[in-house]
Amino acid sequence: MPRPLRHWAFGTALLCLSACGQTAPSGVEATPPTAPSQALATIDTAGPNIELASTGFFVDGNGHVLTAGHAVNGCTNIYVEKENRTVRATFVARSDTADLALIKIGETLGLPAVFARSDEVGEKDMVFAANYATLGDILAHGGALSNAVVADSGSEPGETDITLVSDATYGASGAPVLSSRGLVIGVVTRRGAEDRVYAVKSDVAKAFLAAHNIAFEAVDEPQLGALQDRAARARTVSAHVLCFKGHHRPP
């Protein structure tokens, strides 16, 4: 059984004082982080309802969105927002062990992400991971081919996470981690000490999707050209996920 999460709101930070998403799937033992971790989501307690903002990404052409499990846990209403469109989502499934969740809207907005078929993560690889709100700012200022470096590829037996050196901000929970070829190699779940960010490995995410009969795409072929920007690709496949807790009337 995973350890229960205990959340406190300090300003805009949602602090997670247990190992969010660190528990491995059944039969796999994961190595816990050495320091308390922070769930990379933004919480706003100013209004009568709690709004939790995170990121998700489309995984098929039928409107299924993969995000972090803690980002939609206990939500009364969930919405997906992309390019000035806000659509109410339905909850499909959540994995407490992997800290992943699956939600659905009526149609895919943009393009579905493509997963790496084989394990292509290496230490010191340049990757891309950012929240959906930040992606607009990145592209407005000329884009960025990468914004993170793999510090630990999680290649040891039983490891289920990738460790990144990244300045990913709040709201990045559920963001896809893209390789240099534009393929998804992980899903951001939490921040560790200083500049360390943890992401669930793509093999764990693919197993979660397969368990719920989601026909995602996984290939080895690059989805980007040598000079194409991963920030643009991330924005195309990603969306903003909003969680409301309490009594909330749809807009």
Side-chain angles (χ1 to χ4, degrees), residues 11-29:
T12 59
L14 182 66
L15 301 185
C16 180
L17 301 184
S18 65
C20 295
Q22 188 64 33
T23 308
S26 177
V28 178
E29 183 178 356

Side-chain angles (χ1 to χ4, degrees), residues 33-49:
T34 57
S37 59
Q38 297 177 324
L40 291 173
T42 302
I43 189 167
D44 180 6
T45 57
N49 309 293

Side-chain angles (χ1 to χ4, degrees), residues 5 7 14 39-42 51-56 67-75 77-78 94 99-101 103 171-174 188-189 241-245:
L5 306 186
H7 292 163
L14 182 66
L40 291 173
T42 302
E51 176 185 338
L52 191 63
S54 59
T55 299
T67 188
H70 67 264
V72 296
N73 187 22
C75 302
N77 291 288
I78 305 170
R94 188 177 75 247
D99 194 17
L100 294 173
I103 61 176
S173 285
V188 174
T189 54
V241 177
L242 299 175
C243 163
F244 290 91
K245 298 183 179 183

Side-chain angles (χ1 to χ4, degrees), residues 171-196:
S173 285
V177 180
L178 299 183
S179 70
S180 61
R181 298 191 289 176
L183 299 171
V184 176
I185 58 172
V187 184
V188 174
T189 54
R190 69 194 189 282
R191 177 182 289 281
E194 299 178 351
D195 58 355
R196 293 299 190 269

Side-chain angles (χ1 to χ4, degrees), residues 4 12 41 52 54 56 62 76 79 111 119 136 161 164 166 175 212 237 246:
T12 59
L52 191 63
S54 59
N62 298 319
T76 304
Y79 296 92
L111 293 175
D119 184 5
D161 288 346
L164 307 177
S166 171
H212 296 283
V237 303

Side-chain angles (χ1 to χ4, degrees), residues 59-60 64 92 102 206 208-217:
V59 293
D60 64 10
H64 285 102
V92 178
L102 186 65
K206 288 185 290 186
F208 171 66
L209 294 175
H212 296 283
N213 301 313
I214 304 301
F216 59 88
E217 186 176 2

